[in-house]
Amino acid sequence: MSSYETGDDEHFAILVSELSDEQWRYAIRLCPYHKTVGFIHNLEFLYEAMERSLVDLSSARSAMAASMIFLDTTRPLYEASQLQAATYFLNFTSLYATYLDVCRRVRKVAGLSESVAYNKAVFRLIGRNKGKHAFVRDCRNYQLHYEVIKPSVQVSWGNDKNELLYIDNNEVLYSGWDWKAESRNFLQSCDKTDLLDVTEKVLRDIKRSVSFHRRISERWLRGEKNAYESYLRQRDRYKYLESSQVDIGAIFKRKSILFQKLIDRNLLNDLYKSSLSNDEVKLLIEKIVDRHKNLPAKTKKKLSSEIDKFLANRSERPVLGAYLQGRRVD
């Protein structure tokens, strides 16, 4: 399935129909584009999970701000909200690390690792937020291997109430952790880091990145994509035919009538009660049942006999012609 070619139509259909369900699942998993599709779906899932973490982080900030206003009586509430904020930020950074790993897998499967144009496009997607991405990436290692970051909240009053969920940059810079150069430069650029501002901008870049990876994979693996979709369409067609025509010989041995299983009951009743002749009804039933033109001659003969028995007691309505204002219209 890794080949771009699907061969001639007849040979291709035979090849797909001969695979068992287990063989099909095994074969489709080996298709490079199938792996790419799975990775893209994982990127979309990770984006949605990070989006939920951002919403939760915003809720924790509001809870911290509310409890801070009534600090004298609700200190436990503030600490509980702070722990929630730390948990949500840890979740976000862990999901970001997984997102980077999936992106690497997409590059490897799609053969984009050595593409200069790809690397330039990714750099343009991040743009001025490169330091924020580096900070979020390193925060995951910092929290897992050193200590969990517990953010603080600052509430200021002016024309509007302003809530800031932040960390003290000097505190984490001189904590003893060996920050990477890009992260260190970002932390040294200011005294405080607004975690919601950082996560929001990073998430916005990730949304564009997921869309970009889907488009570039489809373009870079165009031949693989077309072959993969051809296999899926042919397999769906085969499964549809199998579900409607499976074990026809066994069906004829049952007391139930074959064409009643293959035609909608309401349509069959309409045909039976219509003003069409028996020959016309029989022809329509045969056409509907054999709409895929794959019934063998022996089956068609049995089908014709069943339809004759079905129509044996049907009374045909006489065709009296059509009239307008008392005059016959031919």
Side-chain angles (χ1 to χ4, degrees):
M1 283 192 180
S2 62
S3 173
Y4 295 169
E5 301 297 331
T6 55
D8 61 89
D9 294 340
E10 183 177 0
H11 176 73
F12 179 51
I14 293 173
L15 173 64
V16 173
S17 65
E18 287 178 344
L19 295 174
S20 66
D21 288 342
E22 183 178 356
Q23 290 172 328
W24 168 257
R25 287 192 294 268
Y26 179 77
I28 202 69
R29 286 171 184 168
L30 292 180
C31 178
Y33 191 73
H34 177 75
K35 296 179 182 179
T36 305
V37 169
F39 292 148
I40 297 299
H41 287 166
N42 289 343
L43 288 178
E44 293 172 344
F45 172 81
L46 289 169
Y47 168 76
E48 293 175 358
M50 294 171 75
E51 192 175 38
R52 288 192 294 271
S53 294
L54 178 58
V55 173
D56 291 338
L57 189 62
S58 177
S59 299
R61 180 194 63 179
S62 299
M64 289 176 65
S67 60
M68 180 180 174
I69 297 173
F70 307 101
L71 191 58
D72 293 339
T73 57
T74 58
R75 184 69 189 181
L77 177 59
Y78 179 86
E79 293 175 349
S81 301
Q82 186 182 42
L83 180 59
Q84 284 184 332
T87 302
Y88 297 142
F89 184 63
L90 175 60
N91 290 343
F92 187 92
T93 57
S94 299
L95 289 168
Y96 182 82
T98 306
Y99 155 79
L100 292 178
D101 184 61
V102 176
C103 287
R104 283 192 290 268
R105 292 178 179 272
V106 172
R107 291 198 299 271
K108 182 178 179 180
V109 173
L112 295 167
S113 301
E114 305 301 325
S115 172
V116 176
Y118 169 82
N119 293 327
K120 288 183 178 179
V122 172
F123 180 79
R124 285 196 298 269
L125 283 173
I126 296 176
R128 291 177 297 178
N129 296 327
K130 187 177 180 181
K132 295 181 175 65
H133 283 263
F135 167 72
V136 171
R137 181 186 65 237
D138 288 349
C139 270
R140 183 256 187 183
N141 295 330
Y142 176 86
Q143 294 184 95
L144 290 182
H145 303 296
Y146 195 69
E147 64 178 355
V148 174
I149 293 176
K150 293 182 180 180
S152 303
V153 68
Q154 175 181 312
V155 180
S156 57
W157 301 87
N159 294 331
D160 297 313
K161 179 183 176 183
N162 185 29
E163 300 172 354
L164 177 67
L165 185 70
Y166 71 94
I167 61 171
D168 188 318
N169 290 0
N170 291 325
E171 183 178 341
V172 296
L173 267 175
Y174 302 111
S175 61
W177 178 256
D178 185 18
W179 291 91
K180 299 294 177 59
E182 290 182 353
S183 305
R184 180 175 293 277
N185 291 336
F186 171 77
L187 290 171
Q188 289 175 339
S189 63
C190 55
D191 295 331
K192 297 178 180 179
T193 295
D194 184 350
L195 292 186
L196 278 173
D197 177 69
V198 169
T199 52
E200 182 182 359
K201 285 183 170 58
V202 167
L203 189 61
R204 193 179 304 165
D205 293 340
I206 290 176
K207 183 178 182 180
R208 296 198 302 269
S209 175
V210 172
S211 177
F212 165 75
H213 278 91
R214 176 177 290 280
R215 294 196 309 271
I216 195 66
S217 298
E218 291 177 352
R219 184 179 303 175
W220 198 264
L221 297 175
R222 185 173 302 169
E224 287 284 359
K225 178 177 182 291
N226 293 337
Y228 176 74
E229 292 178 346
S230 296
Y231 273 94
L232 293 182
R233 285 195 301 270
Q234 186 62 36
R235 187 66 177 182
D236 288 342
R237 181 174 181 271
Y238 160 71
K239 296 300 289 185
Y240 172 76
L241 294 175
E242 182 187 49
S243 64
S244 60
Q245 304 293 343
V246 65
D247 199 8
I248 292 196
I251 293 176
F252 274 115
K253 294 176 184 178
R254 300 171 189 161
K255 293 183 180 180
S256 59
I257 300 175
L258 171 63
F259 59 82
Q260 287 184 341
K261 290 182 173 292
L262 303 178
I263 300 179
D264 182 74
R265 183 181 298 275
N266 294 329
L267 175 59
L268 195 58
N269 289 337
D270 291 340
L271 289 174
Y272 189 84
K273 297 175 183 179
S274 68
S275 60
L276 299 174
S277 66
N278 283 350
D279 291 338
E280 291 172 326
V281 172
K282 180 179 179 180
L283 178 62
L284 284 173
I285 293 176
E286 288 177 341
K287 291 289 186 183
I288 294 173
V289 172
D290 194 24
R291 54 189 174 275
H292 299 294
K293 299 181 180 180
N294 59 354
L295 291 180
K298 186 176 180 180
T299 301
K300 291 180 181 180
K301 185 176 179 180
K302 291 184 178 181
L303 177 66
S304 177
S305 176
E306 286 193 359
I307 297 175
D308 289 337
K309 292 179 182 178
F310 173 72
L311 298 176
N313 298 324
R314 177 177 180 266
S315 58
E316 296 189 52
R317 298 182 183 180
V319 179
L320 302 177
Y323 294 85
L324 287 176
Q325 297 178 351
R327 299 178 59 185
R328 182 182 176 88
V329 178
D330 296 325

